[in-house]
Amino acid sequence: LNQVSNILKKHNLRNTDSRVDILSLFLNNSKALSHSDLENSLPSNFDRVTIYRTLKSFVENGILHKVPDDSGNPRYALCNTCTDHNHNHDHVHFKCEKCGNTTCIVNLNIPDFNLPKGYTTSEINILVQGICKNCN
Ligand SMILES: [Zn+2]
Ligand SMILES: [Zn+2]
Ligand SMILES: [Zn+2]
């Protein structure tokens, strides 16, 4: 719980039940969580709107980032390498075809894309699918 309070404090967010519970779930999971994962893991007194708002404020405050998903259901994962001033989510996300878990793989270099003239990059999303180390 201390780790949770420290993160909230660092981002100037008040400790509320929903923030503490939702952040704890992310800290206890190494995988990215979707809205419905959260709904299923949280006590039933959490309504969808509260979850939605909490996720939104975590993303805005640099605690979580959105993880692309081919199903169209966004997932969220903790920001590990971000600082308040430097958000960089240009890392590889790996989705396991067996267990369905998506994990951030941050220590991989993403190649520099040579885009055609006239194109500029603002964000790179790489979703790699395969079998994760737990299922292999
Ligand atoms: Zn971030
Ligand atoms: Zn797996
Ligand atoms: Zn990530």
Side-chain angles (χ1 to χ4, degrees), residues 115-121:
L115 290 171
K117 213 175 159 220
Y119 292 83
T120 46
T121 311

Side-chain angles (χ1 to χ4, degrees), residues 1-102:
L1 188 69
N2 265 337
Q3 202 188 351
V4 173
S5 319
N6 284 340
I7 294 176
L8 291 175
K9 206 165 153 194
K10 206 178 111 199
H11 294 272
N12 294 316
L13 290 171
R14 273 185 309 117
N15 270 356
T16 61
D17 286 349
S18 54
R19 284 177 184 155
V20 171
D21 286 7
I22 290 176
L23 191 50
S24 308
L25 277 179
F26 279 100
L27 288 167
N28 294 327
N29 273 291
S30 55
K31 56 171 186 171
L33 300 172
S34 68
H35 199 287
S36 53
D37 289 333
L38 292 172
E39 262 179 81
N40 295 335
S41 320
L42 289 165
S44 55
N45 57 326
F46 277 82
D47 59 89
R48 300 178 62 95
V49 179
T50 309
I51 299 174
Y52 179 79
R53 276 208 217 106
T54 308
L55 286 173
K56 194 164 174 261
S57 82
F58 283 170
V59 169
E60 284 167 359
N61 285 281
I63 297 174
L64 298 178
H65 61 279
K66 251 189 191 179
V67 174
D69 193 272
D70 60 331
S71 74
N73 262 332
R75 296 173 191 234
Y76 299 85
L78 284 175
C79 286
N80 286 314
T81 50
C82 293
T83 62
D84 278 352
H85 301 289
N86 181 21
H87 272 278
N88 182 355
H89 307 121
D90 295 351
H91 54 255
V92 171
H93 288 106
F94 188 94
K95 184 176 179 184
C96 177
E97 289 162 349
K98 217 166 182 180
C99 63
N101 290 344
T102 305

